[in-house]
Amino acid sequence: EVISARLLRKDEVEAALRERFGKNLVIDFSINKEIIGGIILKINNELVIDASVKRRVDKLFKVRLAS
């Protein structure tokens, strides 16, 4: 599953993922504006990549609060 904050060009994303992970992928796309930007990639419902802006902002706040 590819989760993004906005509509993506599915053909480009599918081509890149199939090249990286194999030709037999079934890719679902969803939009979640709460991630602000970037993408989240899940395979078999497991988090593979979280390149969302929300994760980066959350990480900055945790570091800032810890110091």
Side-chain angles (χ1 to χ4, degrees), residues 18-58:
R18 286 196 172 107
E19 182 178 315
R20 172 69 174 96
F21 294 105
K23 304 282 185 210
N24 295 326
L25 290 178
V26 175
I27 304 168
D28 295 318
F29 290 84
S30 61
I31 294 175
N32 180 346
K33 294 183 180 195
E34 290 182 11
I35 72 168
I36 305 167
I39 67 163
I40 297 172
L41 174 61
K42 294 181 178 182
I43 297 178
N44 295 328
N45 288 325
E46 290 187 36
L47 180 66
V48 175
I49 297 171
D50 186 346
S52 67
V53 173
K54 181 182 183 321
R55 182 192 62 80
R56 292 178 186 172
V57 169
D58 288 347

Side-chain angles (χ1 to χ4, degrees), residues 2-14:
V2 175
I3 304 166
S4 63
R6 62 177 181 81
L7 189 61
L8 299 176
R9 291 192 52 150
K10 291 181 181 181
D11 56 336
E12 291 178 0
V13 175
E14 286 175 340

